[in-house]
Amino acid sequence: QSMLTQAPSVSAAPGQKVTISCSGKSSNFASNSVSWYQQLPGTAPKLLIYENNKRPSGIPDRFSGSKSGTSAILVISGLQTGDEADYYCGTWDTTVNAFYVFGSGTKLTVL
Amino acid sequence: QITLKESGPALVKPTQTLTLTCTFSGFSVNTDGVGVAWIRQPPGKALEWLSLIYWDDDKRYSPSMKSRATITKDSSKNQVVLTMTNVDPTDTATYFCAQGLSSKSFSYDSWGQGTLVTVSS
């Protein structure tokens, strides 16, 4: 079971804005940054956000991220039908022996 | 251009050892700040991080692997290998390898296409 909790699903209409949240324990959020991944059906995940709010080259600024305390948020604005996918957060857990953890995933439906 | 590709058996019997190979190009696993990770996804389920090997041969494992996994690298072949012992049907998943960089806090920017492994007798 994932140590990062995400809502199973979220939906919104094209053009709207949607927020996807990720909550974790202080052990993994306190001193470690959060990343976000998009997984389109049948494909490998794609990095959208790293270090809480940075976008890799090629990722449009419709995607933005933030982190506060033990929660992180991915915001997608100007929703497009092509944004329909699963979204995962991820971070390092550095409590004892460091390891990476993914969130439980959120299915975004664009109505 | 960075590419990664996973290879391994499509079908493994319970209790056997699974060996997966990640063959990559466009980078060296010996370059400072580079790591290669293994991540899996059971059918219809979430991603699960398994292991990471760093450029300096340091290694990290998920506690869920409970000492069943071993990760190694062969920089001359541009390969990273994951070995998992005593597999069971819950290890059925698509296995991905991915590159991580220290410049991105070892998030995963480049992924292979994945390879489906089924554990069944």
Side-chain angles (χ1 to χ4, degrees):
Chain A
Q1 188 169 356
S2 175
M3 292 155 42
L4 297 180
T5 303
Q6 300 180 237
S9 63
V10 65
S11 61
Q16 291 192 329
K17 181 172 73 173
V18 70
T19 297
I20 297 173
S21 63
C22 171
S23 62
K25 302 185 306 184
S26 60
S27 62
N28 50 28
F29 266 79
S31 55
N32 295 295
S33 60
V34 174
S35 299
W36 289 93
Y37 303 84
Q38 175 194 62
Q39 188 176 30
L40 298 170
T43 69
K46 175 181 176 181
L47 181 66
L48 289 179
I49 299 287
Y50 67 98
E51 294 180 355
N52 302 326
N53 54 22
K54 297 177 181 177
R55 287 184 303 275
S57 69
I59 301 300
D61 59 7
R62 301 190 297 109
F63 297 90
S64 62
S66 64
K67 174 191 153 189
S68 177
T70 58
S71 293
I73 290 173
L74 172 70
V75 178
I76 310 172
S77 58
L79 270 176
Q80 301 175 0
T81 55
D83 296 333
E84 190 161 290
D86 294 321
Y87 291 83
Y88 295 92
C89 57
T91 190
W92 282 90
D93 186 312
T94 52
T95 43
V96 181
N97 297 310
F99 59 95
Y100 198 83
V101 291
F102 286 100
S104 48
T106 298
K107 167 68 177 175
L108 168 64
T109 300
V110 181
L111 302 169
Chain B
Q1 180 189 3
I2 291 172
T3 65
L4 302 97
K5 187 172 184 179
E6 308 85 352
S7 59
L11 181 63
V12 183
K13 289 181 171 23
T15 75
Q16 288 187 336
T17 295
L18 169 64
T19 299
L20 294 167
T21 301
C22 175
T23 303
F24 52 85
S25 64
F27 69 96
S28 169
V29 71
N30 285 345
T31 299
D32 279 7
V34 171
V36 175
W38 283 96
I39 296 147
R40 71 180 179 184
Q41 186 171 37
K45 296 190 177 180
L47 300 171
E48 180 186 10
W49 184 91
L50 301 177
S51 183
L52 168 70
I53 189 164
Y54 292 96
W55 74 97
D56 60 0
D57 211 38
D58 193 12
K59 300 164 188 178
R60 295 287 182 263
Y61 296 98
S62 167
S64 69
M65 284 292 98
K66 297 179 181 177
S67 303
R68 290 198 298 135
T70 302
I71 192 168
T72 58
K73 63 182 175 74
D74 185 336
S75 56
S76 66
K77 295 181 180 178
N78 280 350
Q79 291 180 335
V80 169
V81 174
L82 180 74
T83 303
M84 290 176 55
T85 61
N86 193 27
V87 298
D88 71 19
T90 62
D91 293 313
T92 294
T94 296
Y95 287 77
F96 298 97
C97 61
Q99 182 208 50
L101 298 175
S102 58
S103 59
K104 291 178 179 169
S105 299
F106 288 102
S107 54
Y108 302 105
D109 200 4
S110 299
W111 294 66
Q113 64 191 21
T115 187
L116 175 62
V117 177
T118 300
V119 180
S120 174
S121 54

